[in-house]
Amino acid sequence: MINRLLQIYRYRALIQILIIRELKARYRGTFLGFLWSFVNPLVLMAIYVLVFSIYLRMDMENYPVFLLCGILPWAWFSSGLSEATLSIIGNGSLIKKVYLPSEIFPLVSIGSNMVHYLLSIPILLIFIVSFGMEPSWPLLLLPLIFLIQFVFTYSLALILSSLAVQFRDLLHIVPNFLMIWFFLTPIFYPMTLVPEKYRALVDFNPMAQLIMAYQDIFFYNRIPSIPGLAVLTGLSCVLLVIGFSLFEARKDLFAEEV
Amino acid sequence: MAAIELKGVSKKYRRHIERPLATTLKSYFLRDLWHRRDDSKDVIWALHNVDFKVGQGTTVGIIGRNGSGKSTLLKLISRILKPDVGTVTVHGKVAALLELGAGFHPELTGRENVIINGIILGLTKSEIKSKLDEIIDFAELREYIDDPIRTYSSGMYMRLGFSVAVHIDPEILLIDEVLAVGDAAFTRKCMDRMNHFKKVGKTMVLVTHDLRMVRSWCDEGIWLNRGVVQMQGNPGDVVEAYAKETL
């Protein structure tokens, strides 16, 4: 485990350059550039505002801000994870021809989507302030929540990307699963609207805990649930160990099977 | 001390015969999990019991027909693949030129791709930046280096890839039929570079179909036939035997 992390550290220059390659290649030649990564969450937000705030009249103050607080980290999670699932297969030509530790490829997928999220935070803050809200010192917890999400996503990415090499079905399963997961996570509705008997769906949903933590610090201006974050940290670490060992057990096959 | 040593190395590949539901989760759980399939007819031994040593500073040429295991051999030496049986020991930094322009992205410029490619091949960022001018001049692409490489001709693409490749400075160089790029003048320049490598004592393993090159340029020849070392030794003798058998 420590070895794996050291290995990743040794290859940090490569990881960095691959993330830059990813970002540059995606927006090269487009007029809006990186802003495109912000357009998608904005469109989603507009739709939900229309449906839930105007059509269905869900009564919630500053609903657009609430939406954006959840949609942005979710976009990092879901695009990161679906890209990462494909990352080993997609980088097959490289894995077959150059000796590289393959665990960097899911990391690059998560990392490049993380950069999108990071870049959107200033825009989110402008948005928040323009609605007359004043986020304050709970924001200091952002790096911690960020780190937990990173480890959690990367662990799942290790598991899914290595399994996808042999079970290509995962490439179809993961996006569908992510869609179900999105609707089960309190992103476009507040947790308080979930009926009591379905609360377990939120309580045992790690992404719900994470998204709620983001909503706490950006929207409600309060400290997120500490026990919740502690459990999440523990879970992420356990998943990371599982992810690394599963990946390790399968990586020798990658050069043959991709 | 040998730079490269293979002891009793075998490598098998599993064939992927398309069966209904053959690679799905369902079949994995229903069939493969309970009856681990490893039928001998589904397995191909790409290399079988290969033994050889390459001394430091030696140039070895590997010849053999298509599918005889030459590329698999290079991949084992470069650690891309792990042997199923036996051991591969390598002393020194290896650069495997199995493909020119590994990691090139068509939308990015030549310059950006040189940096990516160099780091992928094991250079540090400062090393690649200090060699950047040299690489660009060697490839003769100064004029086009800031264009996206999707606009390059295939010759330009190969020249750029080759130029990066010969500017990484490894102790052991594995080359898989990538020498034949560019026009005659560029090929000559490449040969000069290879001769220079030879002179400064780099260990090289070369997979090629250019028999003349093996005869005239390598210190040793290895003939692979269906995954087995058929003959090894003086390059002239090996080439002659191979030519007699196959032509």
Side-chain angles (χ1 to χ4, degrees), chain B residues 24-98:
Chain B
T24 62
L25 284 171
K26 193 171 154 190
S27 73
Y28 183 77
F29 288 120
L30 291 184
R31 193 169 53 206
D32 296 0
L33 209 58
W34 281 297
H35 327 272
R36 278 262 166 209
R37 301 158 46 82
D38 208 9
D39 297 351
S40 52
K41 67 168 189 220
D42 281 354
V43 166
I44 290 174
W45 289 92
L47 285 175
H48 198 73
N49 206 12
V50 172
D51 278 287
F52 70 80
K53 275 186 198 177
V54 179
Q56 230 134 36
T58 316
T59 306
V60 179
I62 299 181
I63 53 178
R65 303 197 53 184
N66 286 337
S68 57
K70 305 184 299 291
S71 297
T72 301
L73 190 64
L74 289 193
K75 286 183 183 178
L76 285 166
I77 298 172
S78 59
R79 294 193 293 171
I80 295 169
L81 293 176
K82 290 237 167 75
D84 290 301
V85 188
T87 56
V88 178
T89 324
V90 176
H91 296 282
K93 192 180 162 199
V94 179
L97 309 184
L98 306 186

Side-chain angles (χ1 to χ4, degrees), chain A residues 31-225:
Chain A
F31 189 68
L32 283 184
F34 125 83
L35 284 176
W36 276 118
S37 71
F38 201 70
V39 168
N40 191 294
L42 272 184
V43 169
L44 257 185
M45 186 199 77
I47 294 169
Y48 285 111
V49 168
L50 180 73
V51 174
F52 290 102
S53 185
I54 298 173
Y55 290 0
L56 295 179
R57 305 272 173 119
M58 186 169 66
D59 198 22
M60 190 173 182
E61 223 183 317
N62 297 330
Y63 182 60
V65 181
F66 174 81
L67 272 173
L68 217 48
C69 293
I71 288 178
L72 291 173
W74 178 268
W76 170 23
F77 174 70
S78 86
S79 333
L81 198 57
S82 17
E83 279 169 36
T85 304
L86 186 71
S87 63
I88 300 294
I89 300 170
N91 283 296
S93 59
L94 212 49
I95 290 171
K96 274 183 182 171
K97 300 288 185 180
V98 188
Y99 173 73
L100 294 168
S102 347
E103 46 276 58
I104 65 173
F105 295 110
L107 191 66
V108 167
S109 306
I110 311 289
S112 62
N113 281 286
M114 179 190 79
V115 174
H116 289 146
Y117 180 48
L118 281 177
L119 291 172
S120 68
I121 284 178
I123 306 180
L124 174 66
L125 287 174
I126 294 171
F127 211 79
I128 292 173
V129 173
S130 71
F131 270 74
M133 302 165 70
E134 288 168 3
S136 63
W137 58 273
L139 277 185
L140 294 176
L141 283 172
L142 183 60
L144 177 70
I145 301 170
F146 209 83
L147 184 69
I148 298 174
Q149 181 174 353
F150 190 95
V151 175
F152 179 71
T153 316
Y154 182 46
S155 316
L156 291 185
L158 283 171
I159 296 169
L160 291 174
S161 61
S162 57
L163 291 179
V165 172
Q166 258 177 311
F167 309 123
R168 308 270 162 137
D169 306 54
L170 276 174
L171 300 179
H172 303 280
I173 295 172
V174 168
N176 285 297
F177 188 73
L178 280 169
M179 190 173 66
I180 299 170
W181 201 346
F182 172 75
F183 280 94
L184 290 180
T185 303
I187 294 170
F188 62 91
Y189 51 88
M191 204 264 277
T192 47
L193 283 188
V194 180
E196 200 64 54
K197 62 174 175 179
Y198 294 111
R199 279 292 159 81
L201 282 175
V202 175
D203 289 339
F204 293 102
N205 174 355
M207 276 316 284
Q209 300 300 319
L210 259 173
I211 296 293
M212 277 154 42
Y214 283 110
Q215 289 161 348
D216 282 332
I217 61 166
F218 283 117
F219 188 77
Y220 296 112
N221 197 13
R222 66 186 180 205
I223 300 280
S225 143

